[in-house]
């Protein structure tokens, strides 16, 4: 057997192997559980170069970057409009904007309503970059964008920590780290696309084909912003969907569903019932573990509990990251302690729930998501009440949860 990624099981699906393969025989395909996974189209053409395994973060125990001197900040964009539209404080978007103005390209993630998926794309100017605004809480399809990156040009590449860890190995292999700034975020994990499509199709049956999807909305404030918005296609709305210059708060949404109001996508995603298998077993990227130049996230925790516009946790790991943050005059950045920066973040992988397999088998079938929830997840939640109760007490008294 050739020494290539076909020997790996349940990898991150980051897609960097598709870009490094010199004979272009690796494709990212959705597997039966609804996660992207590399597939070799023609094993005979494999030249056994081993590059796919060399750049693969899943294939290495250690991180690509030794980031021993992180610098932590609380930050937000100086523009209230940007801050309002972004998931946290808008620092991620401002970093993209700054680098685009300096002649970089920016590789971020947008949602494609036709393909019903999140995907990496490359923007050459700020207007093109606006669809990257907002977290899409599903795995992104990275192959098309990653394989079209021109290694002679300068890029900002943002993504999940595992995508970025592999990407760091990729640019190091080609000795082009100087051309790239890498940005990742604290990552909860990604849920199965089977869940996403079940959810989306049920909503579409009520409101019509989606023309716009957003996972967060700050109408009720940042602390209650896990709020699904699915609007039917309407060409008149294209401008405001894509432009950060327009304040979305004045617009009416056709479908809105809040996590706090019992939204099923969020209950299943944030309940950790159907994340990618590697998110339970092999995520080595919690808190300060990153191969990026800069990490961003929501700055939860006591210090910002009264802020309702959104504040980022921002961590710089490299000299390039420090320099960029110093130049980021569009943002208000305040140094905070490392502890404040990661307060409220997951610091361990969740445990694989006993209902993992039955749940994945039920998703994607002709059963309503509510029925699946009631039949599989609800009884399991009853069984786990004691553990969840203890965790809630830990949270209330300000200590780490005992169970994951
Ligand atoms: C799957 C996922 C899990 C997350 N888990 C946490 C968490 O546990 N704790 C936490 O504090 N923050 C988490 N975040 C990050 C958080 O939601 C915000 O994206 C982050 O704080 C940046 O916000 P912003 O206001 O600076 O900019 P935004 O405009 O909201 O920035 C969004 C950035 O994320 C990128 N992006 C969006 N969707 C994806 C995707 N599916 N895959 C890869 N990149 C994507 C965009 O390209 C853009 O650069 C998660 C994000 C995702 C996508």
């Amino acid at each position: 057997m050739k020494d290539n990624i076909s020997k790996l099981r349940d990898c991150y699906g980051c897609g960097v192997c598709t870009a490094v393969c010199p004979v272009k025989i690796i494709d990212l395909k959705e597997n039966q559980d609804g996660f992207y996974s590399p597939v070799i189209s023609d094993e005979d053409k494999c030249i056994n170069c081993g590059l796919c395994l060399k750049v693969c973060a899943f294939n290495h125990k250690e991180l690509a970057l030794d980031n021993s001197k992180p610098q932590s900040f609380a930050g937000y964009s100086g523009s209230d409009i940007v801050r309002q539209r972004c998931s946290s404080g808008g620092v991620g978007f401002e970093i993209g904007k700054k680098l685009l103005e300096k002649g970089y390209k920016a590789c971020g993630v947008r949602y494609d309503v036709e393909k019903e998926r999140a995907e990496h794309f490359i923007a050459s100017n700020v207007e093109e970059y606006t669809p990257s605004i907002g977290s899409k809480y599903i795995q992104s399809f990275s192959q098309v964008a990653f394989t079209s990156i021109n290694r002679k040009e300068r890029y900002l590449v943002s993504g999940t920590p595992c995508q970025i860890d592999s990407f760091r190995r990729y640019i190091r292999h080609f000795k082009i780290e100087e051309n790239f700034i890498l940005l990742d975020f604290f990552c909860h994990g990604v849920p199965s696309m089977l869940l996403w499509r079940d959810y989306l199709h049920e909503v579409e049956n009520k409101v019509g084909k989606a023309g716009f999807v957003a996972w967060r909305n700050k109408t009720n404030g940042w602390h209650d912003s896990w709020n699904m918005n699915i609007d039917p296609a309407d060409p008149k709305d294209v401008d405001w969907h894509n432009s950060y210059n327009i304040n979305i708060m004045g617009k009416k949404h056709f479908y809105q569903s809040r996590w706090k109001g019992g939204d099923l996508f969020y209950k299943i995603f944030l309940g950790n019932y159907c994340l990618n298998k590697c998110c339970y077993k092999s995520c080595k990227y919690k808190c300060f573990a990153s191969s990026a130049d800069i990490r961003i996230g929501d700055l939860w925790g006591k210090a910002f509990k009264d802020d309702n516009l959104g504040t980022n946790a921002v961590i710089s790991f490299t000299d390039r990251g420090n320099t960029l943050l110093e130049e980021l005059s569009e943002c208000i950045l305040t140094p905070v302690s490392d502890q404040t920066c990661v307060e409220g973040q997951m610091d361990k992988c969740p445990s694989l729930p006993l209902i993992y397999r039955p749940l994945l088998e039920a998703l994607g079938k002709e059963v309503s998501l509510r029925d699946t929830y009631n039949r599989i997840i609800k009884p399991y939640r009853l069984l786990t009440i004691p553990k969840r109760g203890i965790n809630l007490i830990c949270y209330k008294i300000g200590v780490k949860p005992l169970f994951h």
Side-chain angles (χ1 to χ4, degrees), residues 4 7 9 28 53 66 77 87 109 175 196 213 224 259 279 289 301 396 401 403:
N4 62 33
K7 74 176 193 188
R9 290 279 164 273
L28 210 50
L53 291 172
D66 169 21
S77 166
S87 299
V109 171
K175 301 189 175 53
W196 170 241
V213 177
D224 187 7
W259 178 33
C279 303
K396 292 254 153 97
F403 302 102

Side-chain angles (χ1 to χ4, degrees), residues 86-88 90 92 109 134-138 158 186 188 297-298 312 345:
C86 291
S87 299
S88 311
V109 171
S135 299
K136 293 89 190 167
Y137 291 122
I138 49 178
S158 63
F186 295 123
H188 186 96
D298 285 281
N312 282 105
Q345 299 294 342

Side-chain angles (χ1 to χ4, degrees), residues 113-349:
V113 284
E114 292 310 320
K115 296 190 179 118
E116 302 180 344
R117 69 180 188 195
E119 59 185 24
H120 273 82
F121 74 109
I122 296 170
S124 307
N125 58 52
V126 178
E127 200 55 37
E128 281 174 20
Y129 194 54
T130 51
S132 79
I133 286 180
S135 299
K136 293 89 190 167
Y137 291 122
I138 49 178
Q139 193 179 18
S140 77
F141 179 81
S142 61
Q143 179 175 354
V144 174
F146 283 1
T147 51
S148 47
I149 282 178
N150 178 343
R151 294 197 291 262
K152 294 199 177 96
E153 291 182 320
R154 293 184 301 163
Y155 289 84
L156 164 72
V157 179
S158 63
T160 57
C162 50
Q163 288 170 332
I164 293 302
D165 192 14
S166 293
F167 207 89
R168 170 73 66 190
R169 293 167 202 277
Y170 172 74
I171 54 178
R172 190 167 288 163
H173 169 75
F174 289 106
K175 301 189 175 53
I176 46 171
E177 277 178 285
E178 287 301 303
N179 284 353
F180 287 80
I181 294 277
L182 304 185
L183 177 76
D184 72 4
F185 40 77
F186 295 123
C187 186
H188 186 96
V190 287
S192 168
M193 289 296 283
L194 303 177
L195 166 66
W196 170 241
R197 281 193 298 267
D198 273 5
Y199 178 86
L200 176 71
H201 295 162
E202 284 183 18
V203 175
E204 286 184 332
N205 282 340
K206 291 184 206 148
V207 303
K209 173 77 186 153
F212 173 72
V213 177
W215 278 255
R216 301 267 294 257
N217 174 328
K218 295 179 180 167
T219 316
N220 302 308
W222 170 49
H223 290 274
D224 187 7
S225 59
W226 287 279
N227 189 332
M228 290 301 314
N229 294 254
I230 299 181
D231 292 357
D234 179 349
K236 286 200 299 301
D237 284 345
V238 167
D239 274 358
W240 77 263
H241 288 321
N242 287 326
S243 170
Y244 72 96
N245 283 323
I246 295 167
N247 188 344
I248 62 164
M249 308 315 285
K251 299 282 173 181
K252 290 228 173 347
H253 289 266
F254 287 84
Y255 183 85
Q256 283 208 44
S257 174
R258 293 156 62 222
W259 178 33
K260 283 197 179 159
D263 178 74
L264 272 186
F265 173 80
Y266 269 123
K267 274 175 106 165
I268 301 175
F269 165 46
L270 293 178
N272 304 324
Y273 298 117
C274 62
L275 302 179
N276 203 351
K277 226 180 205 168
C278 54
C279 303
Y280 301 101
K281 302 197 164 189
S282 331
C283 176
K284 47 193 185 226
Y285 305 106
K286 299 300 182 205
C287 295
F288 290 95
S290 166
S291 288
D293 294 292
I294 297 177
R295 167 164 285 182
I296 51 176
D298 285 281
L299 210 163
W300 303 128
K302 294 175 216 72
F304 295 88
K305 69 177 173 32
D306 296 327
D307 169 20
N308 244 342
L309 270 181
T311 296
N312 282 105
V314 184
I315 309 171
S316 166
F317 297 110
T318 62
D319 290 343
R320 288 165 67 69
N322 293 339
T323 309
L324 177 58
L325 291 186
E326 277 162 22
E327 289 171 4
L328 207 60
S329 51
E330 297 75 2
C331 290
I332 290 87
L333 291 167
T334 315
V336 290
S337 71
D338 292 352
Q339 203 190 353
T340 301
C341 197
V342 299
E343 203 181 331
Q345 299 294 342
M346 285 166 97
D347 60 354
K348 287 200 178 76
C349 298

